[in-house]
Amino acid sequence: MSAVAEDLVQKEQFRQVFHKCLTHLPETMANLFILRVVDGLTNEDCCKILNIATINQLYVALSRTRMKLGLCLETHWIDKA
């Protein structure tokens, strides 16, 4: 297999693992990650959409979300690499 093909396979495998990890998060956490990180919405917009009272609560929730995603990826992707 060529290096380009191998790279494409690895990217697709990572995308599948990432999607699996994202779907196993609580719904609010997954939505927060998608809105803030993927879609690039502002902190204020994320708070309004998700009914988060303060920016500080958003930061805490986003930090916890990133930690959970990181642990899932570490378990299901990095350990297999």
Side-chain angles (χ1 to χ4, degrees):
M1 183 181 301
S2 74
V4 172
E6 192 172 312
D7 187 46
L8 290 173
V9 168
Q10 283 190 339
K11 285 180 181 179
E12 176 59 23
Q13 289 172 340
F14 175 80
R15 189 193 64 72
Q16 289 175 1
V17 170
F18 181 80
H19 179 71
K20 180 181 176 184
C21 289
L22 195 60
T23 60
H24 282 88
L25 288 175
E27 185 177 357
T28 301
M29 285 183 148
N31 289 338
L32 174 58
F33 186 84
I34 291 168
L35 290 172
R36 183 67 185 102
V37 178
V38 177
D39 294 342
L41 269 61
T42 65
N43 293 331
E44 293 78 11
D45 287 342
C46 290
C47 285
K48 288 177 190 172
I49 292 168
L50 298 172
N51 295 320
I52 297 174
T54 67
I55 298 293
N56 190 48
Q57 288 175 337
L58 177 125
Y59 289 150
V60 170
L62 193 54
S63 176
R64 289 178 180 163
T65 300
R66 287 178 174 143
M67 285 181 13
K68 284 184 180 247
L69 271 175
L71 288 173
C72 183
L73 290 170
E74 188 174 306
T75 301
H76 298 289
W77 176 251
I78 296 171
D79 285 349
K80 295 183 189 249

